[in-house]
Amino acid sequence: MKVFLGKTKNKIRFTTFLICVVVAFVCLCLLHETNQKERESNAAARWKSDNQEFSYISVYISPEENWKENDRNMLISNLKMSFQQNSIINKDREDNNEGLIKDCFSCEDVMEFTNGKNTATAKVTATGGDFFFFHQPVWLSGFAYSDNDVMEDRAVIDKELAWQLFGGENVTGMPFKINGNTYYVAGVVDTSQLKEDKKAYGETSRAWLPYSAFCKEYQGNEPAPGETTNIGINSMADTGTGTDGQSDKLPITCYEIVLPDPVKEWAVNLIQTSLNAKERKMVVIENSKRTNFLYVIDNLKNFFYKTSGTQPVAYPYWENAAKVRDTKREIYTGIILVALIYPVLLFIRIIIWIYKTIDGKIKKRINKKHAYPL
């Protein structure tokens, strides 16, 4: 009976061990798959040189902060001053500090597009800087516009909007109108097939416009006295006619930057300090560490407090998709850690048993060797 019970216990132990290992392995595969989807977070890896480490940081800003291009320029000046003070240079071009920073900014709202009798409402992302370096879509035709475009009359549209306006995807160079002003299609992009991206992207068509053009058209949407508008950030815009050329611009709600990170968390701390982000309605996120195990563990500690309180900012669709993957990573990592508890304890027990067995045999031999015959 004792032998039967012993065999049953061993079977239970082995089955439990096997289940835990299988669960951990499956979650590890899912974790790896989730990490592979994090294409938006590899901007630092694409930008860095052989001799320097870079960090990719996003800053999400409430429209109430009224953050404009002048604020962005001031931030870059402060960052370059910090680089000089800390003797940080571009090691590929030691004559200056160019090439240390890559950045972009954006804000979002809704506009109406027309092409003849065809009309469509689309969510528009106004972009400045190297936006399409950070966010690299699949191009169906054409390519991105540039900040160097003199006319600023080109736009990128997704394939849904292309079909709504033109009835096809290969429509590069085709004209359309916003508020009666003519623009041209610079390129058409495909929508991501990743589940998280599709959910965050939504069903509404999307387009991307240069920031200055967006602001110009936005002012064209100003309501007449006594009328209202459904554009979300309109109430936050300063529509005065200042002399600095910034007062008629809309608030920037997302700022992204790649910069040197010579010491762990140096870059993110520099951004936090330069913006005084903790005292303002801003959220700073270090994207390049999203798939890091220690970063996931740190987030896992606050997993059950994610929904408590409210964030002072509204995240764009790409950050919402990234946050879904963050949650998945935390769940998979948590399951892996729990599933490995029993195998680790069992392994420790086996090691202790082996140690005691070997130690017992050694002591027996020693005692036998030194035993005196009666």
Side-chain angles (χ1 to χ4, degrees):
M1 188 65 182
K2 286 183 179 179
V3 174
F4 176 78
L5 287 174
K7 286 184 178 179
T8 303
K9 285 182 180 178
N10 288 338
K11 286 181 180 179
I12 293 172
R13 287 171 183 164
F14 178 75
T15 303
T16 305
F17 172 82
L18 192 62
I19 291 172
C20 289
V21 170
V22 170
V23 169
F25 178 75
V26 170
C27 286
L28 188 64
C29 293
L30 292 172
L31 181 62
H32 176 72
E33 182 185 358
T34 304
N35 288 342
Q36 292 297 106
K37 294 178 182 178
E38 206 61 68
R39 296 175 301 180
E40 298 284 354
S41 298
N42 66 0
R46 285 185 276 113
W47 180 246
K48 77 173 186 178
S49 63
D50 294 335
N51 302 318
Q52 286 176 288
E53 289 297 325
F54 284 76
S55 182
Y56 168 28
I57 296 168
S58 294
V59 184
Y60 299 105
I61 310 158
S62 169
E64 294 177 25
E65 291 291 336
N66 207 27
W67 210 73
K68 304 286 184 68
E69 285 181 283
N70 278 347
D71 299 293
R72 173 234 189 176
N73 296 336
M74 189 179 299
L75 172 62
I76 291 177
S77 297
N78 291 337
L79 293 177
K80 289 184 176 181
M81 191 179 299
S82 295
F83 297 158
Q84 291 177 355
Q85 291 171 352
N86 291 276
S87 301
I88 296 174
I89 59 173
N90 186 333
K91 295 181 180 179
D92 293 333
R93 291 178 60 186
E94 296 189 3
D95 56 317
N96 56 42
N97 62 2
E98 294 300 319
L100 289 174
I101 291 175
K102 193 85 165 173
D103 75 332
C104 74
F105 57 91
S106 59
C107 59
E108 289 187 321
D109 222 301
V110 178
M111 284 185 174
E112 193 172 82
F113 293 67
T114 59
N115 175 40
K117 294 182 180 180
N118 297 328
T119 302
T121 299
K123 290 183 179 178
V124 180
T125 301
T127 72
D130 295 294
F131 182 85
F132 292 102
F133 169 82
F134 292 88
H135 307 280
Q136 298 184 321
V138 176
W139 296 95
L140 298 176
S141 65
F143 203 67
Y145 52 78
S146 169
D147 270 3
N148 297 323
D149 290 354
V150 177
M151 298 299 293
E152 294 188 332
D153 61 350
R154 299 199 302 153
V156 172
I157 62 176
D158 67 9
K159 66 178 182 180
E160 284 77 15
L161 186 56
W163 278 98
Q164 289 173 337
L165 293 177
F166 305 103
E169 297 172 1
N170 191 17
V171 295
T172 302
M174 297 291 288
F176 62 90
K177 291 183 182 294
I178 303 175
N179 294 333
N181 297 318
T182 301
Y183 289 83
Y184 300 91
V185 177
V188 179
V189 300
D190 197 3
T191 51
S192 174
Q193 298 306 306
L194 298 178
K195 186 177 180 181
E196 302 87 358
D197 291 344
K198 288 176 74 173
K199 286 284 186 181
Y201 192 86
E203 296 181 359
T204 306
S205 303
R206 289 185 179 270
W208 295 260
L209 272 176
Y211 177 72
S212 295
F214 178 86
C215 292
K216 179 184 70 175
E217 298 305 336
Y218 194 93
Q219 300 308 320
N221 280 335
E222 284 298 310
E227 294 182 355
T228 58
T229 178
N230 63 345
I231 300 181
I233 62 176
N234 186 61
S235 59
M236 302 302 175
D238 179 0
T239 56
T241 56
T243 58
D244 60 355
Q246 295 292 314
S247 59
D248 60 343
K249 295 295 183 70
L250 292 166
I252 293 168
T253 55
C254 175
Y255 179 71
E256 300 168 89
I257 183 170
V258 170
L259 72 163
D261 193 21
V263 181
K264 183 180 178 183
E265 296 186 354
W266 183 86
V268 69
N269 289 334
L270 178 61
I271 295 292
Q272 288 268 17
T273 305
S274 299
L275 292 172
N276 193 24
K278 293 182 179 179
E279 304 299 324
R280 303 169 70 183
K281 292 184 178 180
M282 296 180 175
V283 175
V284 179
I285 296 175
E286 189 173 8
N287 296 289
S288 42
K289 298 292 190 297
R290 287 195 115 120
T291 58
N292 185 281
F293 178 75
L294 294 178
Y295 179 89
V296 175
I297 292 295
D298 192 52
N299 285 344
L300 191 58
K301 296 175 185 176
N302 302 314
F303 183 81
F304 294 104
Y305 301 96
K306 278 188 171 184
T307 56
S308 61
T310 56
Q311 292 287 1
V313 299
Y315 295 115
Y317 66 89
W318 58 84
E319 178 59 27
N320 284 326
K323 283 194 172 297
V324 171
R325 286 190 285 271
D326 283 344
T327 302
K328 286 186 175 183
R329 271 189 287 271
E330 291 159 22
I331 292 173
Y332 296 148
T333 302
I335 294 174
I336 290 170
L337 293 176
V338 172
L340 289 178
I341 290 175
Y342 182 78
V344 170
L345 292 176
L346 187 62
F347 179 75
I348 292 172
R349 183 174 179 179
I350 291 171
I351 294 297
I352 292 172
W353 177 81
I354 292 173
Y355 171 78
K356 286 183 176 180
T357 302
I358 294 174
D359 186 61
K361 287 183 178 181
I362 291 173
K363 286 180 178 179
K364 269 188 178 182
R365 287 187 178 182
I366 291 173
N367 292 334
K368 188 175 180 181
K369 184 176 180 180
H370 295 282
Y372 291 98
L374 296 173

